[in-house]
Amino acid sequence: ESATAFGCLVSDMWLGEFDYVSPEAFHSIFEKRYPAFSRTTQHDAQEFLICVLDDLHEAFKEVRAQLQERVSPPVGASTRSLRGTSIITQLFEGQLSYAIRCLTCRALSDKPESFTILSLPIPSTRVCSLQDCLECFFQPDVLTRNNQIHCYWCGGNQDATVKASITKAPRIIIFHLKRFAWQDKHRRKLSTTVCYPFSDLDLSPYISPSCCNNTEYSLCAVVNHAGDLDYGHYTAFCKHSVTKHWYSFDDAQVTKIPDSAVQADTAYLLFY
C-alpha cells in the first residue's frame, strides 16, 4: 500500500500540473505501518528515511519474488539472492568491510556489513569539510577493555585494531551528518558548518582495491534541519536531473535557487 502511494506521489510530482504536491496520502498510509511517525510529535529525517527505504525494499522485493515463482530460475542461479534484491538495494545499498587485527597474535579477520546510509561524525564545533567527516569515520580504531574482541586463534579476549573500508560502493550514497551528539551527559545539536563538494567527491581513499565501482560522486540532494533538539523544521534542496537547476522545497514553497545557496549550515543528509 505505501509503495503504491509513494508511486502516486512521485508520479504527481513529475507530471508538473501543480505548483506543489502534498505527501498527505502517502504519510497517512505510512503511519499506519509505522505508528511512531505520527503527526503529533517531532521525528528524525534520517530515521524516517531508513524506514521508507526498508518499506519500499520489502514491497518491491515481494513483487520480484512473486514474478520469480512464475518463471523457473536458470540452472545455477541463486533464487535466494534474487529474492533479497530490489531497486532500492540496487540504487542505495553498499557494503563495508571491517578489517579486525588481533594485537596479540596479529591474526586478521574481516566483518562485512551492508549499509544504505553512512552516519558520519562531525570532528569540529565550528567549520569542517565532508572529507574531514569521512576521514574521522574511516580512521583506524583500537578496541580495548570492554570492546575487546574474542580471538579465535588466541582463544580469549584480546585488544585489536579495526579499520573500515567500502567493498561495494552504491550508485547513490547517502551521508547522515551526526549533528545530535552527547556532550557532558547532555544531548545537543552541533551547528558546525560542514563544507561539501557539489561534484568530484572522490571516495577512492576509503574504497577497497577489490571494489570496481565508480568512486566519484556528484551532489544531487540535501536535507536541511533548522532548529534544536525539541523543535525543528526540515527543508530540501534537489537538483533537477534534466535541467541541472537546483530547487528549494519548503512545505508548499518550491522555488528555483542559485547553486551558491545549496551550501547551507543546516545540512543534515547529503545525497550523492
Side-chain angles (χ1 to χ4, degrees):
E1 293 182 0
S2 55
T4 302
F6 182 80
C8 292
L9 174 63
V10 173
S11 178
D12 288 344
M13 289 174 64
W14 279 102
L15 283 174
E17 295 179 356
F18 311 100
D19 292 336
Y20 63 90
V21 177
S22 171
E24 189 76 18
F26 168 70
H27 185 265
S28 178
I29 293 174
F30 187 82
E31 71 173 352
K32 291 178 182 177
R33 286 179 58 85
Y34 299 92
F37 293 102
S38 66
R39 293 177 176 82
T40 56
T41 54
Q42 295 287 314
H43 302 291
D44 183 84
Q46 181 241 359
E47 294 174 357
F48 177 73
L49 178 60
I50 289 174
C51 287
V52 170
L53 292 178
D54 285 347
D55 194 55
L56 293 177
H57 166 66
E58 290 300 321
F60 296 142
K61 185 180 71 171
E62 224 173 81
V63 171
R64 184 165 184 153
Q66 291 171 358
L67 292 174
Q68 190 64 29
E69 288 175 0
R70 300 175 190 173
V71 182
S72 298
V75 176
S78 171
T79 307
R80 182 178 179 182
S81 64
L82 290 173
R83 291 176 185 270
T85 61
S86 70
I87 186 64
I88 300 300
T89 57
Q90 291 167 13
L91 291 176
F92 298 101
E93 187 176 86
Q95 190 171 66
L96 293 172
S97 178
Y98 291 91
I100 304 171
R101 185 178 294 279
C102 175
L103 292 180
T104 300
C105 69
R106 310 301 296 176
L108 183 65
S109 60
D110 288 316
K111 178 186 175 185
E113 182 180 290
S114 297
F115 71 90
T116 51
I117 300 175
L118 281 185
S119 292
L120 305 180
I122 300 176
S124 172
T125 56
R126 293 186 178 181
V127 180
C128 69
S129 68
L130 180 60
Q131 290 288 4
D132 293 331
C133 298
L134 287 165
E135 286 288 342
C136 188
F137 180 88
F138 285 101
Q139 70 180 356
D141 197 8
V142 180
L143 305 178
T144 61
R145 299 181 181 178
N146 294 335
N147 294 320
Q148 284 183 325
I149 65 163
H150 182 81
C151 180
Y152 171 81
W153 302 102
C154 293
N157 292 340
Q158 304 291 354
D159 290 353
T161 60
V162 59
K163 188 178 188 307
S165 62
I166 299 173
T167 50
K168 177 192 171 188
R171 288 177 60 183
I172 300 173
I173 191 165
I174 306 171
F175 297 117
H176 163 230
L177 302 178
K178 297 172 70 173
R179 291 197 176 276
F180 301 104
W182 290 94
Q183 188 178 51
D184 299 327
K185 298 183 179 180
H186 297 286
R187 198 162 181 255
R188 69 186 187 92
K189 182 183 177 184
L190 299 175
S191 57
T192 304
T193 298
V194 179
C195 302
Y196 40 91
F198 287 15
S199 61
D200 303 322
L201 173 65
D202 185 13
L203 295 182
S204 59
Y206 320 109
I207 292 182
S208 169
S210 62
C211 177
C212 57
N213 301 55
N214 178 41
T215 61
E216 289 195 355
Y217 290 81
S218 296
L219 187 69
C220 58
V222 180
V223 172
N224 302 292
H225 179 268
D228 53 29
L229 289 172
D230 302 316
Y231 174 80
H233 179 62
Y234 284 109
T235 60
F237 301 146
C238 300
K239 188 177 184 180
H240 196 288
S241 60
V242 178
T243 65
K244 307 303 181 185
H245 294 148
W246 282 93
Y247 291 85
S248 169
F249 293 78
D250 185 354
D251 291 340
Q253 301 296 317
V254 181
T255 54
K256 184 179 176 182
I257 59 173
D259 292 2
S260 58
V262 178
Q263 176 68 60
D265 294 348
T266 51
Y268 186 55
L269 295 171
L270 301 172
F271 296 72
Y272 279 87

